[in-house]
Amino acid sequence: MPEKIEATTNEHNKHSKYVGSLPDISMEALLSFGPPNNCGNTPSIRLFLAKYHAFPCALYCTADDTSALLHATTIVNYIRDELKHDLNTDRISRNYSRQTKQMYVDARFCDLGNGIMIEITDAYFNSDVQNPNKLKPDHSDDYFLLASQITFYYMPEQDTYVQELSSTFAKMTVFSSKSCTLQMVCRNQHGYYLNSINIKKPLITDLALHYGKKFVSIHDKISKNLNKKEGKGIVLLHGVPGSGKTHYIRYLIHEVEEKTLIYVPPDMAKEISSPEFLPFLMQYQDSILIIEDAENIIKDRNECLIPSQAVANLLNLSDGLLGDAMHQQIIATFNCDLTTIDPALLRKGRLIANYEFNKLDLESSKILSDKLGFGTEKITEPMTLAEIYNQREIDEEPNVNGHESTTNEEK
């Protein structure tokens, strides 16, 4: 059978108009056209030249998302089971994994026999991943064998088929658990200081699916402004509890580069009105201040018996003389109504973005729930992200004294 395929391929090449076809060149001359062979690496193009007497077209397979990683084992199993390919005919190289304490295939080169060759290179083990596609790990400790790159070499008549294969492989992914460092504001008897905390990036592969199509352009505007050198201004994120404000901030901070991210926890927010706080912040120019649950410090000063100095400090930081000198930007989240906050915070030129998070509509809630693996049976009304993500926890919540327990959000 292989001889028949090769004969058919060579016969096709003799009459082919393909610019890469080289039917009448000796094997020695043919191989000289290939790139130099590096010791230990598969001479991929030379093998293709020798087999098909033609320079191959090439397609580099990548995942659909920048944080997605191709799972080599799932892809190899698909090649074996769905494409009916004999893996014993592949050229492989093995390496030793200190994590799993076993040998593994770190590179594979296979010929499908139909004018297509597939190369998987630089595979490695990683357990620090998220697995929303429920792929089977390669080891009991949830280690996945991940491919750095998959390359298709092929004859031009296989172009459509190769693109379809690549699209299929691109869905066989896990996602990297990226983390970034937040500097949390703390205080002791000596004054304010920063303490580093690592925040993992949440798995959001589709912003529109989580927050609605209109939010995508808002996110782009926020991300662009926060990455400006010597930028200033304020981002206000508000809405009902559980609607995804904090979840989004975890995602957003991974989009910011080369800036110090200063986190002010809710119990420290009132410190912004302290006379010592601004001098402390002056040490961190061109940084971003993240204030959670900020409703108590951004209320309209005209409605307060004792106007808060915190609002004045925020205004000065975001667009005042101090802002011009320090170039600090502010992200503030709150749950109260927008009409209760100080209107000066909404002034044009100071405000980068103002967005209200709400429940997802019924159809979007069903789509996201199904995407997360919960199905759609229990989605009968618009839901918050917290409600959608925590369906399993709610289902497993134990009864107390024979009565159903009540969550804080239901109270």
Side-chain angles (χ1 to χ4, degrees), residues 170-410:
K171 295 179 175 63
M172 300 175 182
T173 54
V174 294
F175 291 80
S176 60
S177 296
K178 293 181 179 179
S179 64
C180 72
T181 303
L182 277 186
Q183 303 293 339
M184 184 171 69
V185 177
C186 304
R187 188 176 188 177
N188 58 22
Q189 66 270 27
H190 303 294
Y192 299 105
Y193 66 96
L194 297 180
N195 189 33
S196 299
I197 54 175
N198 288 325
I199 303 294
K200 286 190 175 183
K201 185 177 184 179
L203 182 59
I204 300 178
T205 58
D206 189 340
L207 272 177
L209 187 60
H210 283 71
Y211 297 107
K213 293 180 180 179
K214 294 181 180 179
F215 183 68
V216 176
S217 60
I218 300 293
H219 165 73
D220 291 341
K221 180 181 179 182
I222 294 172
S223 179
K224 181 179 178 180
N225 276 274
L226 294 184
N227 278 293
K228 281 183 179 178
K229 189 176 181 180
E230 298 185 348
K232 58 182 181 178
I234 187 166
V235 176
L236 298 177
L237 306 175
H238 55 103
V240 297
S243 55
K245 299 182 292 295
T246 300
H247 195 64
Y248 170 64
I249 288 178
R250 291 193 190 104
Y251 176 85
L252 175 64
I253 59 179
H254 286 81
E255 306 286 301
V256 178
E257 299 177 356
E258 300 180 358
K259 287 194 177 184
T260 302
L261 302 167
I262 301 175
Y263 173 63
V264 182
D267 62 327
M268 291 290 292
K270 64 182 183 299
E271 299 292 333
I272 293 175
S273 61
S274 170
E276 296 87 12
F277 194 76
L278 287 184
F280 163 71
L281 284 182
M282 290 180 70
Q283 304 173 67
Y284 307 99
Q285 295 186 19
D286 204 23
S287 59
I288 297 173
L289 202 63
I290 302 169
I291 310 167
E292 270 200 302
D293 298 334
E295 43 262 55
N296 290 328
I297 64 169
I298 61 173
K299 287 182 178 178
D300 190 341
R301 289 167 291 178
N302 294 325
E303 301 297 324
C304 300
L305 293 176
I306 304 176
S308 172
Q309 181 62 32
V311 174
N313 286 350
L314 290 176
L315 294 174
N316 202 2
L317 279 171
S318 62
D319 194 38
L321 291 175
L322 198 56
D324 290 337
M326 293 176 59
H327 306 291
Q328 285 188 336
Q329 295 164 304
I330 299 166
I331 302 172
T333 73
F334 54 95
N335 296 325
C336 62
D337 192 276
L338 188 64
T339 59
T340 65
I341 75 167
D342 198 292
L345 293 168
L346 302 172
R347 192 171 298 156
K348 189 175 180 180
R350 173 176 290 132
L351 190 65
I352 296 173
N354 164 36
Y355 189 80
E356 181 179 7
F357 292 79
N358 281 305
K359 293 183 176 183
L360 289 177
D361 60 52
L362 179 59
E363 187 60 29
S364 298
S365 297
K366 286 183 176 181
I367 293 173
L368 180 57
S369 178
D370 192 51
K371 180 85 172 179
L372 295 173
F374 295 116
T376 61
E377 294 180 1
K378 298 177 182 178
I379 310 298
T380 58
E381 60 183 358
M383 298 179 72
T384 64
L385 283 186
E387 292 168 337
I388 295 171
Y389 267 82
N390 296 308
Q391 291 178 74
R392 187 172 289 116
E393 293 181 15
I394 294 173
D395 291 342
E396 295 174 355
E397 198 166 88
N399 289 352
V400 181
N401 296 327
H403 299 285
E404 291 187 1
S405 60
T406 305
T407 66
N408 289 333
E409 289 183 355
E410 292 172 334

Side-chain angles (χ1 to χ4, degrees), residues 34-51:
N37 185 32
N38 295 320
C39 181
N41 294 334
T42 303
S44 313
I45 294 179
R46 290 190 174 197
L47 288 174
F48 194 97
L49 282 164
K51 175 67 179 288

